[in-house]
Structure formats: C-alpha cells, structure tokens
Amino acid sequence: MTDLSIQIGPLTLKNPIIAASGCFGYGVEYAGVVDLSLLGGVAVKGLFLAPREGHPPERIVETPAGMLNAIGLQGIGVHRFIAEKLPELRDRRATVIVNICGSTLEEYVELARILSDAEGVAALELNISCPNIKEGGITFGCSLTGTYDVVSAVKKVTPLPVIPKLTPNVTDVASFARASEDAGADAVSLVNTFLAMAIDVETRRPKLSNIVGGLSGPAIRPIAVRMVYECRRTVKIPIIGMGGIASATDALEFMIAGADAVQVGTANFVDPFIWTKLLDGIRDYLGRHNIARVRELTGTIDTTAREKEWISS
Amino acid sequence: MTDLSIQIGPLTLKNPIIAASGCFGYGVEYAGVVDLSLLGGVAVKGLFLAPREGHPPERIVETPAGMLNAIGLQGIGVHRFIAEKLPELRDRRATVIVNICGSTLEEYVELARILSDAEGVAALELNISCPNIKEGGITFGCSLTGTYDVVSAVKKVTPLPVIPKLTPNVTDVASFARASEDAGADAVSLVNTFLAMAIDVETRRPKLSNIVGGLSGPAIRPIAVRMVYECRRTVKIPIIGMGGIASATDALEFMIAGADAVQVGTANFVDPFIWTKLLDGIRDYLGRHNIARVRELTGTIDTTAREKEWISS
Amino acid sequence: MPVDVEARVIRNTRLSSEYNVLALAAPEIAAATAPGQFVMVKLGRGSTPLLRRPFSVFEVLRTNGRVDGLTLLSKRVGVTTQMLFDAVEGDVVSCLGPLGRPYTPVDPPADAWMVAGGVGLAPFATLAEVLLARGTGVTLFYGARTARDLFYLDWFRDRGVRLSLATEDGSLGDHGRVTAPLERALAGAAGRTVMVYACGPEPMLEAVARLAAKYQRPSEVSVERVMGCGLGGCYSCVIPIRDGPKGHHYVRSCLGGPVFAGDQIAWDR
Amino acid sequence: MPVDVEARVIRNTRLSSEYNVLALAAPEIAAATAPGQFVMVKLGRGSTPLLRRPFSVFEVLRTNGRVDGLTLLSKRVGVTTQMLFDAVEGDVVSCLGPLGRPYTPVDPPADAWMVAGGVGLAPFATLAEVLLARGTGVTLFYGARTARDLFYLDWFRDRGVRLSLATEDGSLGDHGRVTAPLERALAGAAGRTVMVYACGPEPMLEAVARLAAKYQRPSEVSVERVMGCGLGGCYSCVIPIRDGPKGHHYVRSCLGGPVFAGDQIAWDR
Ligand SMILES: Cc1cc2nc3c(=O)[nH]c(=O)nc-3n(C[C@H](O)[C@H](O)[C@H](O)COP(=O)(O)OP(=O)(O)OC[C@H]3O[C@@H](n4cnc5c(N)ncnc54)[C@H](O)[C@@H]3O)c2cc1C
Ligand SMILES: Cc1cc2nc3c(=O)[nH]c(=O)nc-3n(C[C@H](O)[C@H](O)[C@H](O)COP(=O)(O)OP(=O)(O)OC[C@H]3O[C@@H](n4cnc5c(N)ncnc54)[C@H](O)[C@@H]3O)c2cc1C
Ligand SMILES: Cc1cc2nc3c(=O)[nH]c(=O)nc-3n(C[C@H](O)[C@H](O)[C@H](O)COP(=O)(O)O)c2cc1C
Ligand SMILES: Cc1cc2nc3c(=O)[nH]c(=O)nc-3n(C[C@H](O)[C@H](O)[C@H](O)COP(=O)(O)O)c2cc1C
Ligand code: FES
Ligand code: FES
C-alpha cells in the first residue's frame, strides 16, 4: 500500500493534491463532479472580511498554453462563507484551506481570528500575492519585512497552520520563503500568477477590463518548478508547489523539485474530473518506482551528470 | 506609402523588426533564407571577449508553448567575430546590433571599445540578463546600480547607440529601464528569458545539463507585453520589445503596449521565413488602419472603458 | 450532474463558409439536456487551445425514438470554432455537460415567442420541440445579416413554428433588425399571454428585454459571456444582476444562467 | 538553399505499432536531397508542439522517373512522432529542407558498409541508391530489438544490397548487437577498401567508429542531437569535435553534420 499522506506542520493531508484557490469556487460547486473528501485539500476562493464585487468583465483571456485572469477577488466575505459554505464542506469531509486577503495587516489578523473559531477550517493560506488588485496583499508579498510581519502577526492569533502564498513577480522568491519560515510559517505555497496582459490590436484595447491580470496554466510551469527548486534549497518547511500542473507527471515534477504537496488550478477548468486521474497517476508512478511513501519523493532531483545509454531503438 | 522606419537614438532602422540575439546565429547562417538587408536589424549571438565553449548538451527542451535554453553563450569571441562574420554581414548590408556580455564592467567597456572601431556595427546591446550563466552580466542586470554603472561606463567609450537588455526576473523591471535611461542608454530592450527548469520524472534528472535555463516563446508573451507597457509609462527612450512574438499581430501588440521596435527569437526557429510575413502583416495593418508611420503606433494602447456593440452575428 | 464524454463526430454539415452543424455521439448528455443548456467542448490534444468553449445544445438527435447524439450550431470566429468547422467524421470532441440554467417553457394558452439573432438560433430548436410537445404556440423571430445566414427555416416551419424574419440587408423578411417585427407583434398582441425568449448578441438581448418590459410581457434571455470553466469555478462569466433600484451584483452566468429573466439584468452596467 | 513546403500527406504506411512511413508531396525538397540530409517538420497549428523536429529523408519517390515526393521513416517516441503516426492522406506537414551535411558516397573498388540501428535505417535507402548507381557494392548491417522491428529487408535485397542482420532477442540474424557481425566482417576484410557508414543510437555510433578505427577503415556517422532550428541559429545541437589529442570544441550538428567522420567526434566527452 502506497502512503500518499503528507504533513503540513500539525496537519496531515491524506494526499498531496489540493485544489488551488480561485479555481475551485468555494468547493461546493464541484461536489457534483468529485468527492471532495478524496482531495488532499480544497483551497477556497480568496476571502476578504467583507463581500467584494470584483472587476467588471472581461475577466479572463486565453493565451498560448495559459490564461490571464483579473477576477478582482469577487467574493461573499468571510461571514457568509462561514455561514453558507463551510457547513456543506464540513458535511462532505473536505479538508478546507481558507485563502485570505486583506488590505491591512489588521485585516489578515482579524480574518485569522474569525476563521480559527469556525469549525472545519484545516489551514489558512495567506494570499499576499494576488497580482490584479491593489489591496490584495501584494504590497506584503513584494516586501520581505511585509511578508515577515503579516505571517508572524497571523501566527500569533491562530492555532491553525499558516501558509503564506508567494508571488513569482519578485527577483528572489527564495528570500520570501526564508522570511516566511523565519516568521513561523508552517509551509509556503507558490506560485501565484504572473502579472501579464494582452491587447486586442484591432481596437488597441486591453483584453481585460483591469488592463493587467495574472498568467496561469502550463505556460508558467517551468518557471514555477524552478522557483520551487530554489525555495527547497533555502527553507526546511513544507512547500506547496503549483503553476500549470495538468497531469500526474507535472505534479511529480514539482515534488521532485522540492514540493511536499501541489495545487492544481487552471487544469481543473479544462478537466474537472482530473482529480482521480492525478491520484491514480501518482500511485502508479510510486508503484513502478517502488516508492512506499510519496513524501520520500520530495526534493529528490538528481543533479549529478548523466551517463549515455545504448537504447537499441 | 507606409513609413516603417523607427529611430533608436542616432540610428534609423528601416523597419521595427529585428532578429533576436542568440536566435539567429551570427546572421550569416540565415543569409540563404532571408535577405538580411530587409530586416530592421540583426542582433547577433551574445559575444564575450574570448571564445566560449558553452554548456554541454542537453541545451534546449520544449515546454508548453515555449522552450528552455541553456546554451551557455558558446561563441567565437569578439575578435573572430570581427574578422570572420562582420565582413559578410557588411556585404549583405545587414544592420548589425552586437549583443555583448562580460563578467566584469571592464570587459563590457573593452568590448564596446573594440566594436566601436570595427566597421559595420550599428549598435551595442548589453546583455546584462542572460539567466543561465553566472558570469553573463546577470549580476549587473539584477542590480539597479550595476545596470546604471555598466551603461554609463559603456556610453563613455563608444559613439554607438547603447541598448541594455533587461531581464524579466526582477520585481520591478521599469526601475531598471529608468536606471538605464538615467545612465544615458539610447534604448532598452526587453525581455530576456525567464529563469526556469524542467525535470524528467522517470530519471529525476533535470532535462538541461545546466539544470536551469531560460524560457522563451509564446508562453511568456503576456508577461513580456506587460513589462513593455510598464516601462513605456516610466521612460522616454525607445523600447525594443520581445518575448514570444510569432506573428505580425504579436509584434503589433508589443508596439501598441509601448515598443518602438521588436525582436523575434524563438519564432525564427519554427519558421525561418517569418520575416517577410511579419513585415507584410505590419504593412497590411497600418494600411487598414490608415496609419502612415509605424512609429505613430507606439504606446497607443487605449485604456478607456469600452462600449458594447451590436454585432448582428 | 454533468458528464464528460469523448464524443465521436457523427457528421459535420457546413451551412455556409462560417456556419456548421456538428453531430456528436454524446447520448448521455443529449438525453439529459433541457432547452437553453450548454456544453463545454475541447478539441485537440495539448494546450492550444487551452480552455474549453461553451456551446448551446442545438438539436437532440434520435434514432427510432432513442436519443443517440446532439448537434452544435457553430459560427466560425476563432480557434475552437475553426476546429469545429474543420472536424471530420470520427474525430473526437471532448464534451462536458449539460450545464447551466435552462429556459422555462410555458404552457398554453400562453404563446412562446423566440427571438434569435444569428447563431443565437442555437437553443431554439430544442426549446421549440419542448414547447410544441406541450401544445404551446411558437413563433420564431429570427434576424441575421442576410438571407443566406438564416438557417433551418424549413426545420422550424415543418414542425409548425411561425416564422418572422429580418435581415439587415433586406434580402429576406423585414429590412433591419429583428426587434422591429417583434415590436410590431407586441404592439398588436393586446390581451394575449406571451412569453419572450431571446438569444443573440447582448445589445439585441437588451433591446428585447426592454421591449418585453414595455409591453408588460415576461422575457428570458440567454447571455453569452466568456466562460473559463462552465461549472462555477472561475468567476469569469459574470453578469450584473439588479439589486434594488440602483445597485447590482455579479452573478456567474454558467450557474445562475445562461438564461436569466430579462428584467433581472442590470443592462446599464 | 532549403525551402519550406506545406507538404500534403500522400499516404501513411504503418509498419508496426511504433514505426510508420509517411509519404509527403514535397518534390522540391526530395529532388535536392543528398543521402544523409534531413528535413525539419512541424505538424498542427498553434504552439504545442512548438518546435520543428528533424527527420532524415528516407526515400525519394519517383513516378515515371520524375521526383514527386519523399518519405520519412518515423518511430513513435513523443508528440510529433505520434502525430506523424496518426497522419492521414491529405493532412499537411510543414517540411523545411534539405538540411545538413550528407554522407560522402564512395566509388568502386571501395565497398560501402552501412550500419543501422533501429530507426537509424532512415538515411540508408537513399544512400544505397546513390552507391548502387555508382556501381559500389553495398552491405547493410542492420540491428534491432527483434525481427519484427527489421523493416524494408526486401527493398534492400531487391536492389542488390547484401544484408547482415542482428536482433537483441536473437529472433533473426545474429543474437545481440549489430556491432558483432560488423566486427567479424571487418576482421575478415583484409586488403579490401571499405567505407563504414553508420546511423543509430549514439553508443552504437561510438562503437562503430571505434571498430572502424581499430581496423583502419574510414567511417562516417550520422548523429542525432536535439535540434531547435536545423539552420545553425540556436546552438542546441552541438557535438564535441576533437581539437588536438585532448581538447574538443562544440560543433553544431545541423550545419557541420549530422554526418561526421567517426574519428572527428570526441566520444569521451
Ligand atoms: C452559454 C453559451 C452558449 C453558446 N452557444 C454557442 C453556440 O451554440 N454556437 C456558437 O457558435 N457559439 C456559441 N457561443 C459562443 C462561443 O462560445 C464562442 O464563439 C466560442 O467560445 C469562440 O471560441 P473560439 O475558440 O472559436 O474563439 P476564440 O479564438 O477564443 O475567440 C474569438 C472570439 O470569441 C470570443 N470568445 C472566446 N471565448 C469565449 C467564451 N468562452 N465564451 C464566449 N465568447 C468567447 C472572444 O472574445 C473573441 O472575440 C456560446 C457562448 C456561451 C457563453
Ligand atoms: C538529423 C536527425 C535525423 C533524424 N531522423 C529521424 C528519422 O528519420 N526517424 C525518426 O523516427 N527519428 C529521427 N530523428 C529523431 C527525431 O528527431 C526524434 O525522435 C523526434 O524529434 C522526437 O520528436 P517527438 O515530438 O515525437 O518527441 P518529443 O515529445 O519531443 O520527445 C520524445 C523524446 O525524443 C527526444 N527528442 C525531442 N526532440 C528532439 C529533437 N529535436 N531531436 C532529437 N531528439 C529529440 C527527446 O529528448 C525525448 O526523449 C532524427 C534526429 C536527428 C537529429
Ligand atoms: C481564475 C483564477 C482565480 C484565482 N484566484 C485566486 C485567489 O483567489 N487566491 C489565490 O491565492 N490565488 C488565486 N489564483 C491563483 C491560483 O490559485 C494559482 O496560484 C495559479 O493559478 C497557478 O496555478 P495553475 O497554473 O494551476 O492555475 C487564481 C487563479 C485563477 C486562474
Ligand atoms: C537559444 C537561445 C539563445 C539565446 N541567446 C541569447 C544571447 O546570446 N543574448 C541575449 O541577449 N539573449 C539571448 N536569448 C534571448 C532572446 O534574444 C530573447 O530575448 C528571448 O528568447 C525572448 O524572445 P523570443 O520569445 O522571441 O525568443 C536567447 C534565446 C534563445 C531561445
Ligand atoms: S465559467 Fe467559470 S464560473 Fe462561470
Ligand atoms: S539545430 Fe539550431 S543550431 Fe543546430
């Protein structure tokens, strides 16, 4: 029996496959297509204290092997989330990771407090990296002291595992992982989307109402894998890797680079039935390679030189 | 008659389409497929003072809508370039932009001196952004003072237009454009490739011998367009935009975002006959839109809100 | 619950250089579809195109009464619709559905007036069938640029649907937009119970909704927003829904729609 | 000068579940190809796959003496070769070529010994034709995993090529690698002028080059490096070439090769 469980601080996930925030609604939307209890975790759509309208359409646009989004964190706010969504998630035995966003440090702290009192929250993911709203914590996410401060402040008020989500739009992402670790983060997750844009040349207008948005999907995978690899060499805390994962092979690539778990976002739009395929693929791989526990895979990239092989082809 | 010419400091390019450095050899390799004098410019492969071996294979790997490269700046060095390649480029009336790389500031200066004395060099592009070699100037490219220093040092010794090439692997690329402008750069070019990697999960080895490499191709285009847009709002000097351009539409997108000229790299691998298609496509667009001079297009992105249209479809 | 079917192309009928009707072997989806619902389709391996695209279910195909497939009416506007146009028998189209909130069919003595603009005809074949089966009288107001872009006229006529056509170039029916004959009909329908269904470009939907309101008839419109997922996951497909007299909030049209009551939508936003 | 042809698929012959031969209407390229040269092909719209892939020209097709196409012998290993395997008549393959440095054919009284490993058979159909036309005696040493992976044996036999086969499972010819019969032949060829041509996996090429050197015969090997462009633009395809007794430098195999003299290559690097 392969052991797929992984550890994030005090929290054990039954497997390393997590639905990425903002790509899986509040989880309940997908209860009809996938048994939520099968997932390692469900990171729900980024929540502010108050409900938010979000940006006007167009909110997404497809790009080569990727997509841009500028949703603007439309959402129901933390109170309605707890009242309206959390009970169903609990009933369906989902491992709920709540992705929280604030304009101020106090707001993160307040959100953490409120959610710590709610039943059925497994961990907090601090969204300090949303590229397409000014108040989405990106000011924290692009500053080492900002990152340090928000993580330590939230740690002080919650017993829940705290997972800052890092932006890739920085020169040295590993230093942000280090700042997070220093501040007591239980894990880091990366990457959020890359700030990007697309223009309709006929109208000369941006294709997104917000002008810029976040790039996700397979296009960014090689950059995200590199960032996970750099962070793995810098911090000891668990890393939740993501960015363009669309198959079990892709998920394994992140783990071998250094991720303990992974999140899958854009690929869920393309194939909402992907979850069991990912789990089956990982089980199959571990079986073929005689690896008993998935956690043994993390960071096992082999950077020694290769030997040539005679493959009689 | 549409006027395709654009201005880079004292230099007039006959059109805004330039072959990107490292993607067009020394130019002479392509003399058989395209009339080099038709191009706005030919940015030759990055040159050091001395010849360089480069990295062992594998040097490239394909990724979704992109490719990674870690060539390691294999090259013949500046002296052999001047002796062996420049005469042919001159004969073929190519507008030669020499991409130079150094490990030290002195090396950039020395290269600039040598090339200023050579006949047939139109401009110098300072590669301070190669992601996959330690000595490739990336230490300059990731530091504002480093960028400022190398640009001003080179400007002092050459009458040629100086074009620092910026790396996208930074938090705020516009500040590097600003530092370049302050230091007297005649233009900036961006983007170089994104630091990235890919792992073969079966062997758990990196797919590139150098472990990490640079991501180019359509995958990165939306990020590159955003960076050009940001730089355009920050500096007045010309911007040469690039990253994933594979059609006239893509080139126009960069110009509307703020580029005066563009470079095309990876797409030349896919279609070495792309050059006349790009020029024809741009001419056609300008004609359709009644734009007499291509330079009128630069930075004309319209960020006012749209009206809905009744398209009886 | 939606299902994902790797549907084989049964046949591809080109209606013009832009429009085609693609028949797909997806009986599971076809049997479960209510009029106005849609499927999310993906063609090709690999990641270009990356995302699925939404298409209304056009016809539910039956052989000897058994449902064995569905068709899509597609207009060529970009990469996926080009692939749908080019598809040949035996190709496979990944088809996820049925999705979304359907139209609400009315019963006699109410009359059903369907207003279609261009490819907005798509949901009305299945809606007409359901309405006719209930004995409801059905009229199709159908507008397009030109006569050659008006399709399936006989299909509707043969089933007893009244047609009122309009073309922008006047080549068939009313000269101008389809809202003109609709307004004439509304003006002359005093005392009759009418439900107005619309599908087409958004400005047309708005005009139809306003006309229906003006003549105090209910309307249901099917909106077309860019959809990333079709399942409520991405929040790309939102439409502003009225909140009191002045406010609005964004509702995901893949879950709350694509069919909305015409007076729910905050058209001015 | 290479040309880029949007070549129509004339036919696709599957040789096994892995190998196929694709005939393409690219007469311009076929007529200009010398044995050992290659084409860079691209299938599909869009950017997955992004880059072209290199394939040797396998056969030059002629009808009534007029060149009208070429074939590729392809082994299914990834995305492009899968598309080549799946291609059907009428599909279009973008085909750039001919590219690279060809083999140097020898004249009688020299004998030509061609050594092929698996899909490394590809350049030897055209090479054999050119050699036979010069009256040169041709032997094909041809190894594969198993008998079912040895193709076109009659094609070569019919044209008068001597065959020496090897399979790793012993199902046909020598049991083991193709270098064993090659070495036996070299050992027994005292006094004969022989040119050894090889194409196949790199360790095989190295073994063949060393054997040729050991028996003081010249060799030419065709190497297979990952190629991004095929025209010298990207420097991805390099191979270490000897520089004095200990040194080496990297040469682009798309320009300097793919065919190199066996003793040029710094095999130990
Ligand atoms: C509920 C619903 C039902 C629809 N039913 C039909 C139908 O029956 N027949 C039909 O021909 N079309 C229908 N459409 C529109 C259809 O989805 C788009 O034409 C299609 O997505 C275009 O894809 P493409 O790859 O060909 O174009 P692209 O290359 O993606 O883009 C071309 C144009 O289409 C628009 N577009 C792109 N993606 C979407 C999207 N996901 N949703 C809406 N517009 C988009 C873009 O803004 C662009 O202007 C429907 C849309 C919705 C929301
Ligand atoms: C000069 C030359 C001639 C060749 N002739 C033939 C031939 O006649 N028949 C044939 O079947 N194969 C030939 N090859 C090999 C062929 O190019 C590869 O099998 C093909 O590129 C694989 O493409 P893919 O998309 O199917 O595989 P991918 O999905 O790209 O990768 C599958 C595997 O193939 C390798 N590969 C990928 N790209 C290349 C590349 N550009 N060059 C070499 N290997 C690559 C990868 O490392 C990987 O291990 C030749 C190669 C060269 C350099
Ligand atoms: C439509 C959309 C909405 C997103 N919303 C959020 C969000 O609310 N909070 C967050 O931390 N990340 C958000 N993300 C980022 C994803 O969680 C993920 O980090 C990113 O998309 C990269 O993963 P992918 O390539 O698998 O999608 C969003 C991404 C998309 C595409
Ligand atoms: C194989 C390869 C080699 C490159 N070598 C150089 C180089 O020598 N100097 C340089 O400034 N940029 C180099 N680049 C970066 C390109 O010039 C260009 O900035 C980048 O590839 C983005 O453009 P593209 O997407 O059009 O390729 C190289 C890129 C590739 C793919
Ligand atoms: S299409 Fe994704 S939420 Fe509606
Ligand atoms: S394949 Fe690009 S240089 Fe040889």
Side-chain angles (χ1 to χ4, degrees):
Chain A
M1 261 297 296
T2 29
D3 176 3
L4 291 187
S5 73
I6 65 118
Q7 201 69 28
I8 304 279
L11 177 68
T12 305
L13 301 185
K14 66 176 75 69
N15 65 61
I17 302 291
I18 302 169
S21 178
C23 304
F24 205 67
Y26 295 109
V28 295
E29 291 89 339
Y30 285 88
V33 283
V34 52
D35 175 350
L36 300 180
S37 76
L38 290 180
L39 299 186
V42 171
V44 298
K45 202 170 156 38
L47 282 172
F48 276 83
L49 269 179
R52 277 176 68 92
E53 171 87 297
H55 296 311
E58 308 292 321
R59 290 178 165 191
I60 66 168
V61 57
E62 185 165 316
T63 65
M67 64 177 279
L68 304 184
N69 88 79
I71 308 299
L73 287 164
Q74 174 176 351
I76 56 176
V78 71
H79 298 291
R80 280 184 56 198
F81 171 75
I82 292 173
E84 297 171 21
K85 309 294 176 186
L86 202 50
E88 179 174 349
L89 290 168
R90 218 157 47 211
D91 288 352
R92 297 195 181 270
R93 287 175 301 125
T95 301
V96 179
I97 300 172
V98 182
N99 182 275
I100 59 175
C101 331
S103 325
T104 62
L105 193 143
E106 291 66 37
E107 221 177 315
Y108 282 97
V109 168
E110 176 72 4
L111 277 159
R113 270 217 192 86
I114 294 168
L115 287 159
S116 306
D117 292 338
E119 197 193 321
V121 176
L124 298 179
E125 187 175 53
L126 309 188
N127 184 354
I128 50 172
S129 44
C130 179
N132 59 58
I133 62 160
K134 288 178 208 73
E135 335 79 284
I138 191 77
T139 37
F140 297 104
C142 285
S143 139
L144 288 172
T145 54
T147 299
Y148 182 92
D149 291 347
V150 71
V151 172
S152 36
V154 169
K155 272 305 279 185
K156 283 204 191 82
V157 300
T158 184
L160 294 171
V162 172
I163 311 167
K165 182 162 175 182
L166 307 182
T167 175
N169 300 298
V170 292
T171 311
D172 180 17
V173 72
S175 62
F176 288 83
R178 163 72 51 75
S180 302
E181 183 174 53
D182 290 347
D186 296 275
V188 286
S189 64
L190 65 149
V191 299
N192 210 317
T193 53
F194 289 77
L195 195 60
M197 76 189 289
I199 302 169
D200 180 328
V201 302
E202 294 303 323
T203 63
R204 295 195 236 167
R205 288 182 184 136
K207 290 188 179 175
L208 295 173
S209 74
N210 190 50
I211 307 179
V212 296
L215 180 64
S216 64
I220 67 170
R221 192 168 65 232
I223 317 180
V225 170
R226 182 266 297 177
M227 290 185 168
V228 165
Y229 172 72
E230 287 178 349
C231 289
R232 179 74 297 151
R233 300 196 302 169
T234 309
V235 298
K236 295 220 154 46
I237 51 174
I239 294 172
I240 303 175
M242 77 198 82
I245 294 174
S247 70
T249 305
D250 300 340
L252 291 161
E253 186 179 10
F254 274 87
M255 292 188 236
I256 292 165
D260 297 80
V262 297
Q263 292 186 13
V264 178
T266 303
N268 174 62
F269 301 154
V270 181
D271 180 7
F273 296 93
I274 196 172
W275 307 102
T276 49
K277 297 173 198 167
L278 293 172
L279 290 169
D280 289 350
I282 290 175
R283 264 192 217 97
D284 171 65
Y285 176 91
L286 295 175
R288 277 192 292 113
H289 289 261
N290 282 310
I291 301 171
R293 279 174 295 272
V294 73
R295 60 184 77 177
E296 289 167 23
L297 206 57
T298 298
T300 57
I301 180 171
D302 171 7
T303 54
T304 60
R306 310 140 205 231
E307 300 231 332
K308 294 181 196 168
E309 282 166 78
W310 178 321
I311 317 152
S312 200
S313 47
Chain B
M1 261 297 296
T2 29
D3 175 4
L4 291 187
S5 73
I6 65 120
Q7 202 67 29
I8 304 281
L11 177 67
T12 305
L13 301 184
K14 68 175 75 67
N15 65 61
I17 302 292
I18 302 168
S21 178
C23 303
F24 205 67
Y26 295 109
V28 295
E29 292 87 340
Y30 285 87
V33 283
V34 51
D35 175 351
L36 300 181
S37 75
L38 289 181
L39 299 185
V42 172
V44 298
K45 203 170 154 39
L47 282 172
F48 276 82
L49 267 179
R52 279 176 67 93
E53 171 85 296
H55 297 311
E58 307 296 320
R59 288 177 166 193
I60 66 166
V61 57
E62 185 164 317
T63 65
M67 64 176 282
L68 304 183
N69 88 80
I71 309 298
L73 287 165
Q74 174 176 348
I76 58 177
V78 71
H79 298 292
R80 281 185 54 200
F81 170 75
I82 292 172
E84 297 171 23
K85 310 293 176 187
L86 202 50
E88 180 174 349
L89 289 168
R90 221 159 41 212
D91 288 351
R92 296 191 181 273
R93 287 174 302 125
T95 301
V96 179
I97 299 172
V98 182
N99 182 275
I100 60 175
C101 330
S103 324
T104 61
L105 192 143
E106 291 67 37
E107 222 176 312
Y108 283 98
V109 169
E110 177 71 5
L111 277 159
R113 267 215 195 85
I114 294 169
L115 287 159
S116 307
D117 293 338
E119 195 193 324
V121 176
L124 298 178
E125 187 175 53
L126 309 188
N127 183 354
I128 51 171
S129 46
C130 179
N132 59 60
I133 63 160
K134 289 177 208 72
E135 334 80 284
I138 191 78
T139 37
F140 297 103
C142 285
S143 138
L144 288 172
T145 53
T147 299
Y148 183 92
D149 291 347
V150 71
V151 173
S152 35
V154 169
K155 272 302 281 185
K156 283 203 191 80
V157 300
T158 183
L160 293 172
V162 172
I163 310 166
K165 181 161 173 182
L166 307 182
T167 175
N169 300 295
V170 293
T171 311
D172 180 17
V173 71
S175 62
F176 288 83
R178 164 69 53 75
S180 303
E181 183 175 55
D182 290 347
D186 296 275
V188 287
S189 64
L190 66 144
V191 299
N192 210 316
T193 54
F194 288 77
L195 195 60
M197 74 189 291
I199 303 169
D200 180 330
V201 303
E202 294 303 322
T203 62
R204 295 195 232 168
R205 288 182 184 134
K207 290 189 178 173
L208 295 173
S209 74
N210 189 51
I211 308 177
V212 295
L215 180 64
S216 64
I220 66 169
R221 192 169 64 232
I223 317 181
V225 170
R226 182 265 297 176
M227 290 183 168
V228 166
Y229 171 72
E230 287 178 348
C231 288
R232 179 73 299 153
R233 299 196 303 169
T234 309
V235 298
K236 296 220 155 44
I237 50 174
I239 294 172
I240 303 175
M242 77 197 82
I245 295 174
S247 69
T249 306
D250 300 341
L252 291 161
E253 188 180 8
F254 274 87
M255 291 189 238
I256 293 165
D260 297 82
V262 297
Q263 292 187 12
V264 178
T266 302
N268 175 60
F269 301 155
V270 180
D271 180 7
F273 295 93
I274 195 171
W275 307 102
T276 48
K277 298 173 198 168
L278 293 173
L279 290 169
D280 289 349
I282 289 175
R283 261 190 221 102
D284 170 65
Y285 176 92
L286 295 175
R288 276 193 293 114
H289 290 261
N290 282 312
I291 300 172
R293 280 172 294 270
V294 74
R295 60 184 75 176
E296 288 168 21
L297 206 57
T298 298
T300 56
I301 180 171
D302 171 7
T303 55
T304 59
R306 309 144 207 228
E307 299 232 334
K308 295 181 198 169
E309 281 167 77
W310 178 322
I311 318 153
S312 201
S313 48
Chain C
M1 291 297 92
V3 292
D4 186 18
V5 178
E6 297 290 300
R8 214 172 23 73
V9 172
I10 303 170
R11 78 188 151 269
N12 185 0
T13 313
R14 305 228 172 132
L15 304 179
S16 71
S17 61
E18 284 186 318
Y19 285 86
N20 70 306
V21 173
L22 197 71
L24 296 171
E28 312 86 321
I29 298 176
T33 302
Q37 287 193 300
F38 65 97
V39 293
M40 295 288 291
V41 309
K42 177 160 163 64
L43 284 94
R45 286 185 276 247
S47 39
T48 39
L50 179 66
L51 298 170
R52 292 172 183 262
R53 300 287 194 276
F55 290 86
S56 299
V57 172
F58 180 42
E59 300 157 281
V60 170
L61 300 176
R62 291 185 182 78
T63 306
N64 304 325
R66 261 190 64 243
V67 170
D68 54 3
L70 54 81
T71 68
L72 307 178
L73 170 66
S74 169
K75 186 187 177 196
R76 203 158 53 83
V77 298
V79 45
T80 298
T81 45
Q82 178 71 53
M83 290 168 104
L84 290 174
F85 192 82
D86 292 340
V88 295
E89 200 185 312
D91 284 357
V92 168
V93 177
S94 178
C95 202
L96 173 71
L99 300 168
R101 189 176 159 276
Y103 286 109
T104 321
V106 289
D107 290 305
D111 272 334
W113 292 7
M114 311 185 303
V115 188
V119 76
L121 181 70
F124 292 137
T126 56
L127 180 60
E129 285 188 331
V130 166
L131 288 164
L132 293 167
R134 293 168 174 244
T136 307
V138 185
T139 306
L140 174 65
F141 298 84
Y142 181 13
R145 281 175 308 206
T146 180
R148 279 184 329 267
D149 284 350
L150 291 168
F151 307 107
Y152 271 62
L153 302 183
D154 290 339
W155 190 100
F156 284 98
R157 248 185 230 119
D158 291 351
R159 284 165 177 75
V161 174
R162 278 175 300 270
L163 294 183
S164 175
L165 307 176
T167 51
E168 297 199 2
D169 66 356
S171 51
L172 191 66
D174 250 60
H175 192 157
R177 290 178 172 168
V178 70
T179 38
L182 175 68
E183 173 145 28
R184 280 201 310 274
L186 280 165
R192 276 161 66 195
T193 312
V194 173
M195 172 71 156
V196 179
Y197 303 97
C199 185
E202 224 169 82
M204 181 200 100
L205 299 183
E206 178 178 349
V208 171
R210 289 191 196 280
L211 279 177
K214 177 172 167 192
Y215 292 93
Q216 289 163 353
R217 300 301 198 292
S219 66
E220 284 190 340
V221 303
S222 178
V223 300
E224 270 188 31
R225 293 277 157 138
V226 172
M227 288 187 178
C229 71
L231 285 171
C234 72
Y235 281 71
S236 66
C237 59
V238 294
I239 183 126
I241 293 295
R242 270 188 224 293
D243 242 357
K246 291 203 134 181
H248 77 275
H249 67 280
Y250 283 126
V251 168
R252 288 166 286 182
S253 66
C254 65
L255 290 184
V259 174
F260 293 90
D263 56 9
Q264 276 186 285
I265 297 176
W267 295 108
D268 46 340
R269 283 310 309 257
Chain D
M1 293 298 92
V3 291
D4 186 18
V5 178
E6 297 290 302
R8 216 172 21 77
V9 172
I10 303 170
R11 78 191 148 265
N12 184 1
T13 314
R14 304 227 172 131
L15 305 177
S16 72
S17 62
E18 283 186 317
Y19 285 85
N20 70 304
V21 173
L22 196 70
L24 296 172
E28 312 84 324
I29 298 176
T33 302
Q37 286 192 300
F38 64 97
V39 291
M40 296 289 289
V41 310
K42 177 159 164 63
L43 284 93
R45 284 186 276 247
S47 39
T48 41
L50 178 67
L51 298 171
R52 291 172 183 263
R53 301 286 194 273
F55 290 86
S56 300
V57 172
F58 180 41
E59 299 157 281
V60 170
L61 300 177
R62 289 185 184 78
T63 304
N64 304 325
R66 261 191 63 243
V67 171
D68 55 2
L70 55 82
T71 69
L72 307 179
L73 171 65
S74 169
K75 186 186 177 198
R76 203 157 54 81
V77 299
V79 45
T80 298
T81 46
Q82 178 71 54
M83 288 168 105
L84 290 175
F85 192 83
D86 293 341
V88 296
E89 200 184 311
D91 283 358
V92 167
V93 177
S94 177
C95 202
L96 173 71
L99 300 167
R101 190 176 159 274
Y103 287 110
T104 323
V106 289
D107 289 305
D111 272 333
W113 293 6
M114 310 185 303
V115 190
V119 76
L121 181 69
F124 293 137
T126 54
L127 181 60
E129 285 189 330
V130 165
L131 289 163
L132 293 167
R134 293 166 174 247
T136 308
V138 185
T139 306
L140 173 66
F141 298 83
Y142 182 13
R145 280 175 309 205
T146 181
R148 279 184 329 269
D149 284 349
L150 291 168
F151 307 109
Y152 271 62
L153 302 183
D154 289 339
W155 190 100
F156 285 98
R157 249 188 231 114
D158 291 351
R159 284 164 176 75
V161 174
R162 279 176 299 271
L163 293 183
S164 175
L165 306 175
T167 52
E168 297 200 2
D169 67 355
S171 52
L172 191 65
D174 250 60
H175 191 159
R177 290 179 171 167
V178 69
T179 39
L182 175 67
E183 173 143 32
R184 282 202 309 277
L186 281 166
R192 276 162 65 197
T193 312
V194 173
M195 174 69 158
V196 179
Y197 303 97
C199 185
E202 224 168 83
M204 182 201 100
L205 299 183
E206 177 176 352
V208 170
R210 289 191 196 282
L211 280 176
K214 178 173 166 193
Y215 292 94
Q216 290 162 352
R217 299 301 197 294
S219 67
E220 283 189 342
V221 304
S222 178
V223 301
E224 269 190 29
R225 293 276 158 137
V226 173
M227 288 186 178
C229 71
L231 285 172
C234 73
Y235 281 72
S236 67
C237 60
V238 295
I239 185 126
I241 294 295
R242 269 187 226 293
D243 240 356
K246 291 201 134 183
H248 75 276
H249 65 280
Y250 284 125
V251 169
R252 287 166 287 181
S253 66
C254 66
L255 289 185
V259 174
F260 292 91
D263 55 9
Q264 275 185 287
I265 296 176
W267 295 107
D268 46 339
R269 282 307 311 258

